[in-house]
Amino acid sequence: MTLHTTANTTATRLAKHSIPSFELRSVLLVAALAVGAAGVARAQTAPPSPASPTSPPSQMAPPTAVPQNRTTPQDVEAAFGRADANKDGKLDRQEAEHLPAVAQRFDQIDANHDTFISLAELTKAATGS
């Protein structure tokens, strides 16, 4: 008899806590909302598409645009001062190694070919003036 009572109690408890067809509809609704939310999130984080040929010119970057050099003479002087280890006012090849871009173009920057780069030579090379 106790077996029958336990089965009735379980059946009564399930009947109180479930609504017919509600669970299936709830699961489908939650799944549909999750898929929709994921699609919206992906659409918002997608990279912008490149400007199309029919875009107005203001939205398209020129194909050969070169960024402006924003190096100031003060920036050059500060870098030169850090690289000039012996503080003699010129950079030899060893000191130029502290500035990799300068070391790679040492001979081009050394305009007077005295095997040293002066602050004036570096400034001219870096700023174009």
Side-chain angles (χ1 to χ4, degrees):
M1 255 236 213
T2 57
L3 191 61
H4 186 268
T5 306
T6 306
N8 283 341
T9 307
T10 305
T12 305
R13 195 176 325 134
L14 287 175
K16 287 181 183 177
H17 295 295
S18 67
I19 300 170
S21 301
F22 177 74
E23 291 180 22
L24 181 59
R25 285 185 296 198
S26 297
V27 169
L28 291 175
L29 178 63
V30 169
L33 289 173
V35 169
V40 169
R42 179 155 167 42
Q44 290 178 353
T45 59
S49 61
S52 68
T54 59
S55 296
S58 63
Q59 293 178 353
M60 293 178 57
T64 58
V66 176
Q68 289 183 330
N69 186 358
R70 296 195 173 132
T71 303
T72 65
Q74 293 81 11
D75 295 334
V76 175
E77 188 174 345
F80 186 90
R82 287 190 302 270
D84 186 13
N86 60 6
K87 306 297 182 205
D88 64 352
K90 54 190 176 183
L91 300 180
D92 59 25
R93 287 188 186 274
Q94 185 178 3
E95 291 171 323
E97 293 296 324
H98 296 286
L99 305 170
V102 173
Q104 291 174 353
R105 297 180 42 217
F106 190 92
D107 292 326
Q108 293 171 335
I109 296 171
D110 182 17
N112 63 3
H113 306 291
D114 64 351
T115 69
F116 295 102
I117 294 177
S118 66
L119 177 58
E121 290 171 326
L122 185 60
T123 301
K124 183 177 179 182
T127 62
S129 58

